[in-house]
Amino acid sequence: MKGITFIGMSGSGKSSVGARLAMQIGWKFVDLDKLILEKQSATHHEIMQRFGEEGLKALEEQYTLELDFANTVFAPGGSLVYSQLAMEKAKDESTLIYLRVPPRIIESRLGDRLHRNGIVGLEEKGLAGVMAERIPLYEGYADYVFDSEMQSVQEMAEKIITTLRSRGLDFPYAVS
């Protein structure tokens, strides 16, 4: 069965909602940020300091292209949307869910981590500039868009499962 991939900005809930969703439907969960940390022994911020934004984007693309999406919930970094090759693979092999969040919520959720999270383009363009650039890409790739603002992680996971089931996707092992 095709996987599920969450796309959106850092702080949108991709990892927390993705992990909860994977647990509820009995699928594997892959957080690309953690995978890169595990394989490179460095955070996104550290990789960007050593190899620049292009180095980080190349690693995100490489690990995504190596991923088996079957029965997997995948939470990549928000900048994966810059890799057409990786996004085409994700689109072919998974259902893409965009978690849309306004900038004020991202700033609130990330707090002082905003500038240490390794967000590609943030230093040059600021949060508003990065979001203006990425939103059309997220919307263009997304199969479904969910507003991730006031719901709990559990509520969002349940809403996604309900929506996907109503559109014909079945999760025989889902826990409600």
Side-chain angles (χ1 to χ4, degrees), residues 114-173:
L114 178 66
H115 294 280
R116 294 191 323 260
N117 251 28
I119 298 174
V120 170
L122 185 66
E123 190 173 310
E124 178 185 328
K125 300 170 189 151
L127 183 59
V130 170
M131 290 184 73
E133 182 176 86
R134 291 185 188 182
I135 287 171
L137 297 171
Y138 294 142
E139 290 175 347
Y141 283 114
D143 295 307
Y144 300 95
V145 177
F146 290 89
D147 290 312
S148 172
E149 193 170 335
M150 302 306 292
Q151 306 87 345
S152 70
V153 169
Q154 180 65 35
E155 289 168 334
M156 182 61 71
E158 288 173 5
K159 183 176 181 178
I160 292 167
I161 289 170
T162 300
T163 299
L164 295 179
R165 278 187 168 150
S166 75
R167 303 279 165 60
L169 288 171
D170 191 27
F171 308 104
Y173 305 109

Side-chain angles (χ1 to χ4, degrees), residues 27 50 74 85 87-88 104 112 144 151 155 161:
W27 285 9
R50 283 190 222 151
F74 179 48
L85 200 56
M87 291 304 295
E88 286 174 359
R104 66 180 167 71
D112 64 351
Y144 300 95
Q151 306 87 345
E155 289 168 334
I161 289 170

Side-chain angles (χ1 to χ4, degrees), residues 84-108:
Q84 183 177 351
L85 200 56
M87 291 304 295
E88 286 174 359
K89 177 182 171 68
K91 184 85 170 162
D92 287 344
E93 299 180 19
S94 67
T95 299
L96 291 172
I97 297 174
Y98 169 35
L99 295 180
R100 182 171 49 200
V101 182
R104 66 180 167 71
I105 298 293
I106 290 171
E107 289 171 337
S108 170

